[in-house]
Structure formats: C-alpha cells, structure tokens
C-alpha cells in the first residue's frame, strides 16, 4: 500500500455522513472515530484584502492588527475563514448534487434532508455541509462542527504589508455604501479604508475531526473556490487569495501557526515541510501527504461523492 492508499484507509466510512432519524426528522449523525486530519499551508493575497471585524471611525475602516513575535501583523480571524469556506463548500455540494441527480439541488435536499439548507439562517442540520461545519435549528436540534479553524497572522510586518495613513500608498478611497446619490459627491461621501497589500502571506492550520475521504477532498476544493470568491470586507472585488497546501496528515499537529510564523521569519517555513520535518500525534502512526500527493488526494472528490450519493439511497 502506498502513502495515499494508507491515508485513505484511515478515513471514516462515508456511511457516517448519512443522516439518522430523530423524532421523525433527519439529523446528521454524531461521528466519533478518534481520528483527525490536519491541513496546513500558506494563503497569499493577490488583490487588496480588508480583514475588518470591527467598525472604524466615521467613514473609515481599519485592518485588524496584533502585536505578535516582535512585529505588528495583520490579523485574519478564524470565523472569517470558516464563514467563506463554508459557503464555498455548500456551492460545491449543490453543484455536485445537480450534476449527479440531473435535478435541482432544492428537490434533492428536500427529499434527502427534509428541507432546503441555506446558510446561515435556515440550516437543515442533516446534510454533508452541516455534518462538517455544524449547525443549529432553534428548538429542534444541533450538530457540532467537526472542522476546526485557527486565527492567523501575516508573515510580513504591518508597516510593510498594510496600506494605511502615512504609508507610501495611503489609505484606499471608495464610495460609501449608503451615500445619497441625489447629492453631489465630495470628500464627505468617501469611504477611507486600510487594506492588506497583494503578496502578503498568512500561514494556516485547519483540523477535521472524524474525517471521511469526502470531507478532506471536499475541503481542498472548497478552499480554492473560496479563494476566488474573496474573503473579508468588499469581497466582490477584494480579498482574493492563492492557497498552497503544504501538508495533509493524519493526527494532531505538533506545531502551531506561531511556529509557522517563526519559521517564516527565519526563512525556513517551506523547507520544514519540503524536508518532511513536521510531526503529528497519531496513535496509529501519522500518514503525511505532501506536494503532488495532495493534488492526487483532491482528485478523489468525484469518487468519494459518488459513494456518498449511493449511501443516501
């Protein structure tokens, strides 16, 4: 058995994603296989990026920043990552359903999960997306998230990677969303905003608990869709990324985003992965995939989804 086959053999059976019936309605199964998969990589900004989690002053917006490891860095909080990637995952799920069934996703979801599932206010808590990302239906039930995200921070210092007041580029200028179009435009109608510059890098770690092959392959594809959709404020035009997956491995990581930042500051981040120096805790012995092995794993999405489609009956 090669490394990829050994990795796939560690995954939970896709039947675990089939919802069970509780009080006459379908609910995602609780899955406890005591296994985890860790995905680590680097996200590189390729357009202006506005990681904003709080209001600025008046008509201004400011990038989230944090003093960390001797630098002020741009901060990219985990809930922003999870929210966009969940929506990208749902879009992928619906597209694959329609290709496989030949019908609209709405009919399929109603038939297999009792209702259409829409994020965030009308979750079905029965489908693959709800099984992976979790969900709550007030007064009726909930599913716990099996995917774990972590806040991340820019490798580059804020003074080098953020366009802000006093920097060479200065703050970005846009029009306010709620401006009165019947009034003449002037400085008071402008929206001034800081932004993270293209080329800025953010290391990341994501953990999937009780993973199936479909979960892992689906996540890899969903991230790439999310990259093109955009993260952060004004994502229609901003917040596009390139993601380079450095490792996909069974087990918990023996390193953190902070370690990755230190390695980057030392100029050794990618070599730690290229030389397979990173370690993972797995009582069964960790199986780690790198480089082309990760791409081959992602290529198994259709095969894994076909198994899920059959299991739903």
């Amino acid at each position: 058995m090669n490394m990829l086959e050994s990795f796939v053999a560690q995954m939970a059976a896709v039947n675990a994603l089939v919802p069970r019936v509780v009080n006459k309605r379908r609910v995602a199964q609780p899955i406890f296989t005591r296994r985890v998969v860790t995905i680590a990589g680097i996200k590189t900004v390729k357009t202006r990026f506005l990681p904003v989690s709080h209001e600025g002053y008046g008509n201004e917006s400011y990038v989230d920043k944090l003093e960390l490891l001797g630098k002020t860095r741009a901060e990219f909080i985990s809930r922003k990552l999870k929210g966009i990637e969940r929506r990208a995952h749902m879009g992928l799920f619906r597209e694959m359903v329609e290709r496989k069934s030949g019908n609209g996703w709405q009919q399929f979801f109603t038939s297999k999960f009792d209702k259409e599932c829409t994020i965030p206010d009308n979750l079905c808590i029965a489908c693959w997306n709800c099984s992976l990302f979790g969900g709550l239906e007030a007064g009726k039930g909930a599913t716990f998230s099996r995917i774990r995200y972590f806040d991340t921070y820019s490798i580059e210092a804020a003074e080098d990677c953020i366009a802000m007041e006093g920097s060479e580029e200065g703050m970005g200028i846009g029009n306010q969303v709620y401006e009165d179009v019947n009034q003449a435009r002037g400085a008071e109608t402008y929206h001034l905003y800081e932004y993270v510059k293209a080329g800025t890098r953010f290391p990341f770690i994501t953990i999937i608990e009780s993973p199936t092959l479909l979960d892992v392959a689906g996540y890899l594809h969903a991230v790439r869709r999310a990259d093109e959709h955009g993260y952060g404020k004004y994502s229609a035009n901003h917040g596009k990324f390139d993601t380079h997956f450095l490792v996909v491995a069974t087990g918990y990581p023996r390193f953190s985003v902070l370690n990755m930042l230190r390695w980057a500051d030392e100029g050794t981040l990618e070599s730690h992965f290229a030389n397979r120096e990173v370690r993972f805790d797995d009582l069964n012995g960790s199986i780690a995939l790198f480089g082309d092995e990760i791409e081959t794993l992602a290529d198994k999405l259709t095969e894994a989804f076909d198994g899920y489609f059959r299991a739903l009956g």
Side-chain angles (χ1 to χ4, degrees):
M1 221 187 300
N2 62 29
M3 291 291 285
L4 182 59
E5 291 169 339
S6 298
F7 180 93
V8 171
Q10 296 282 339
M11 300 297 99
V14 74
N15 289 342
L17 299 177
V18 176
R20 56 181 179 152
V21 177
V22 177
N23 296 327
K24 298 182 180 180
R25 65 184 305 266
R26 295 179 177 94
V27 179
Q29 295 187 52
I31 310 172
F32 303 107
T33 65
R34 312 299 181 191
R35 303 280 175 83
V36 301
V37 161
T38 297
I39 302 102
I42 303 171
K43 299 185 79 68
T44 302
V45 182
K46 60 183 183 181
T47 62
R48 294 181 178 188
F49 170 45
L50 285 72
V52 177
S53 61
H54 58 279
E55 294 298 324
Y57 302 100
N59 63 341
E60 300 175 356
S61 294
Y62 298 92
V63 167
D64 296 335
K65 306 179 195 72
L66 186 73
E67 186 71 28
L68 185 66
L69 301 178
K71 292 181 183 178
T72 300
R73 303 175 190 261
E75 183 180 24
F76 191 177
I77 62 175
S78 57
R79 68 180 175 85
K80 297 285 187 180
L81 275 165
K82 183 178 182 180
I84 295 299
E85 289 177 5
R86 178 172 196 163
R87 285 169 171 80
H89 183 276
M90 179 60 88
L92 173 68
F93 185 15
R94 290 172 178 173
E95 180 181 334
M96 297 192 76
V97 161
E98 292 186 345
R99 288 182 59 192
K100 189 69 178 175
S101 69
N103 296 313
W105 66 268
Q106 296 91 338
Q107 300 96 303
F108 183 88
F109 272 58
T110 301
S111 170
K112 303 299 181 182
F113 312 124
D114 295 331
K115 62 186 292 187
E116 297 175 13
C117 188
T118 53
I119 301 168
D121 298 324
N122 194 29
L123 298 173
C124 70
I125 66 170
C127 71
W128 172 33
N129 184 273
C130 287
S131 171
L132 182 57
F133 290 91
L136 170 67
E137 191 173 16
K140 296 184 179 180
T143 60
F144 292 104
S145 174
R146 293 187 292 111
I147 192 165
R148 301 283 184 253
Y149 286 82
F150 300 85
D151 293 343
T152 184
Y153 315 92
S154 63
I155 290 172
E156 294 77 15
E159 58 265 28
D160 297 322
C161 73
I162 299 176
M164 52 188 165
E165 186 175 2
S167 70
E168 182 179 350
E169 297 83 0
M171 295 178 75
I173 301 176
N175 292 314
Q176 295 185 59
V177 174
Y178 301 111
E179 66 175 307
D180 185 350
V181 295
N182 296 312
Q183 300 294 321
R185 289 181 174 179
E188 68 278 2
T189 73
Y190 294 152
H191 169 228
L192 302 177
Y193 60 90
E194 294 181 344
Y195 61 87
V196 176
K197 302 175 191 177
T200 303
R201 297 165 296 161
F202 293 84
F204 70 91
I205 297 173
T206 306
I207 293 174
I208 301 177
E209 298 176 343
S210 303
T212 66
L213 175 60
L214 181 60
D215 292 328
V216 181
Y219 168 80
L220 297 175
H221 281 265
V223 167
R224 287 171 177 148
R225 288 183 170 225
D227 284 348
E228 299 308 319
H229 174 279
Y231 298 81
K233 198 170 184 180
Y234 304 129
S235 60
N237 297 319
H238 301 318
K240 310 300 190 266
F241 280 81
D242 277 326
T243 296
H244 175 40
F245 296 108
L246 295 171
V247 68
V248 177
T250 61
Y252 291 97
R254 292 187 186 174
F255 59 92
S256 68
V257 167
L258 298 185
N259 294 121
M260 295 176 74
L261 289 171
R262 289 191 186 97
W263 296 337
D265 290 344
E266 296 165 359
T268 61
L269 174 56
E270 295 200 40
S271 66
H272 272 81
F273 294 87
N275 297 333
R276 305 190 177 217
E277 297 170 2
V278 288
R279 295 290 178 264
F280 301 86
D281 281 323
D282 187 337
L283 295 178
N284 298 293
S286 178
I287 302 167
L289 306 178
F290 301 86
D292 291 342
E293 295 169 330
I294 298 174
E295 297 305 316
T296 304
L297 176 65
D299 289 343
K300 290 188 173 292
L301 175 62
T302 299
E303 171 191 334
F305 187 80
D306 288 348
Y308 175 60
F309 194 88
R310 289 193 299 271
L312 289 172

